[in-house]
């Protein structure tokens, strides 16, 4: 449950109703402090499996577990009141069968209180989307560049860059819409393709490295805050250099400890003032 009880959280149907009305602003979060800071400004917060890379320093998203994802999602849910919260199903937790996907989606939602799940995969995963939706699990689909498919895709490469690939990704998106997905993440696809998919579908598209014409946008929060290292991905924009602020604060702290100016007596218990 959220720590706030007097505010109504954005629902999945409310997100869908924004199609053609206004843009959806979305970001990732994995921890309570970030979630609290983001909540007032966003329509949706995603606990992405990018937690593996951003939060744990892993080389890809493949090794994070369902239990880890659910724990991070629970922290975000407890710390927010407004944004719709969606949690990624990690690699290996849903691809085997619709039944496996439902069991693990139910576990993740029950453990975290999140509002829905996100799954990567093309048209081959549409039946799994249908299976979940028919059993009460809201599904945000994810097509185009799919990090969980990094090995079969040969790396993190833009998708839909020729006519055949673009048509396949369009059909992937259509298949998930027909299966009942409430929205589609379009990652790392050709701009014209993302625009075409957005115009074709009746459900919201959420772009990341896609098109300004998508119904919404999402970024990894650490990318837009300057916390992901020196290299900013092409699809991101750094809106602030929070890393520089943190480094400056840590430098001041370390210097204060070493020169004896911290802690002061005001920071101590039972100390008598001189």
């Amino acid at each position: 449950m959220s720590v706030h009880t007097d505010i109504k959280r954005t629902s999945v149907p409310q997100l869908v109703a924004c199609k053609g009305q206004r843009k959806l602003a979305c970001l990732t979060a994995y921890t309570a402090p970030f979630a609290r800071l983001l909540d007032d400004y966003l329509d949706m917060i995603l606990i992405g499996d990018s937690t593996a890379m951003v939060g744990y320093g892993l080389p890809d998203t493949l090794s994070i577990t369902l239990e880890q994802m659910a724990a991070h999602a629970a922290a975000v849910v407890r710390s927010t009141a407004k944004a719709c919260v969606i949690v990624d199903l990690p690699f290996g937790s849903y691809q085997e069968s619709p039944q496996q996907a439902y069991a693990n989606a139910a576990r993740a939602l029950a453990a975290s209180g999140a509002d829905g799940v996100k799954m990567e995969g093309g048209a081959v995963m549409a039946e799994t989307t249908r299976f979940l939706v028919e059993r009460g699990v809201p599904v945000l689909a994810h097509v185009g560049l799919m990090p969980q498919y990094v090995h079969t895709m040969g790396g993190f490469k833009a998708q839909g860059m020729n006519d055949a690939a673009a048509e396949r990704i369009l059909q992937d998106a259509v298949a998930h819409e027909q299966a009942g997905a409430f929205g589609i993440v379009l990652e790392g696809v050709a701009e014209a393709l993302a625009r075409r998919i957005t115009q074709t579908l009746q459900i919201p598209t959420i772009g990341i490295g896609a098109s300004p014409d998508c119904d919404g946008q999402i970024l990894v929060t650490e990318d837009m805050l300057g916390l992901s290292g020196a290299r900013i991905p092409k699809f991101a924009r750094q809106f602030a250099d929070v890393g520089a602020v943190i480094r400056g604060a840590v430098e001041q702290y370390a210097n204060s400890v070493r020169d004896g100016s911290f802690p002061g007596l005001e920071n101590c218990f039972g100390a008598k003032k001189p």
Side-chain angles (χ1 to χ4, degrees):
M1 293 181 60
S2 168
V3 294
H4 311 279
T5 57
D6 56 341
I7 301 172
K8 200 165 185 180
R9 189 181 295 278
T10 300
S11 68
V12 165
Q14 287 174 319
L15 291 180
V16 177
C18 290
K19 175 83 176 186
Q21 301 300 311
R22 67 172 181 83
K23 300 283 190 177
L24 297 171
C26 315
L27 286 170
T28 62
Y30 319 115
T31 64
F34 266 112
R36 283 193 293 267
L37 290 169
L38 303 182
D39 190 36
D40 280 341
Y41 308 100
L42 299 179
D43 300 293
M44 185 183 83
I45 294 175
L46 173 69
I47 300 89
D49 58 5
S50 53
T51 307
M53 302 171 76
V54 176
Y56 291 92
L58 296 168
D60 53 44
T61 66
L62 302 181
S63 57
I64 198 162
T65 67
L66 184 71
E67 289 72 24
Q68 288 173 305
M69 292 300 302
H72 284 285
V76 170
V77 171
R78 285 193 298 267
S79 307
T80 57
K82 296 180 179 180
C84 187
V85 177
I86 304 298
V87 58
D88 257 340
L89 291 183
F91 180 71
S93 69
Y94 62 94
Q95 291 92 342
E96 182 179 343
S97 68
Q99 291 78 12
Q100 180 207 31
Y102 176 76
N104 286 325
R107 286 175 59 196
L109 296 185
S112 68
D115 301 294
V117 301
K118 181 171 78 64
M119 298 190 307
E120 297 180 16
V124 69
M125 295 303 300
E127 186 54 38
T128 298
T129 292
R130 186 184 308 279
F131 192 89
L132 267 60
V133 172
E134 288 177 348
R135 287 156 179 79
V137 178
V139 174
L140 178 64
H142 181 151
V143 301
L145 195 168
M146 299 176 290
Q148 292 183 15
Y149 289 69
V150 61
H151 295 312
T152 56
M153 287 186 165
F156 296 99
K157 299 178 179 179
Q159 302 295 308
M161 303 301 285
N162 59 58
D163 290 345
E167 183 63 27
R168 175 180 53 77
I169 294 170
L170 171 62
Q171 294 309 314
D172 289 341
V174 169
H176 281 287
E177 178 183 45
Q178 293 175 345
F182 73 82
I184 307 276
V185 171
L186 303 177
E187 180 171 358
V189 300
E191 192 278 329
L193 170 61
R195 189 171 359 108
R196 181 184 174 195
I197 293 173
T198 300
Q199 294 167 351
T200 300
L201 300 187
Q202 300 303 305
I203 57 175
T205 59
I206 309 296
I208 176 168
S211 171
D213 286 341
C214 287
D215 298 302
Q217 300 292 329
I218 190 166
L219 286 176
V220 173
T221 298
E222 286 77 4
D223 287 344
M224 56 87 69
L225 292 179
L227 294 172
S228 295
R231 181 181 174 275
I232 301 171
K234 176 180 174 61
F235 56 77
R237 179 186 297 173
Q238 185 175 310
F239 286 82
D241 190 356
V242 175
V245 175
I246 293 173
R247 287 190 295 273
V250 172
E251 181 182 19
Q252 290 182 52
Y253 164 76
N255 290 339
S256 296
V257 170
R258 289 167 182 148
D259 67 20
S261 62
F262 178 84
L265 290 179
E266 70 275 11
N267 305 118
C268 300
F269 298 96
K272 294 182 180 179
K273 295 182 179 179

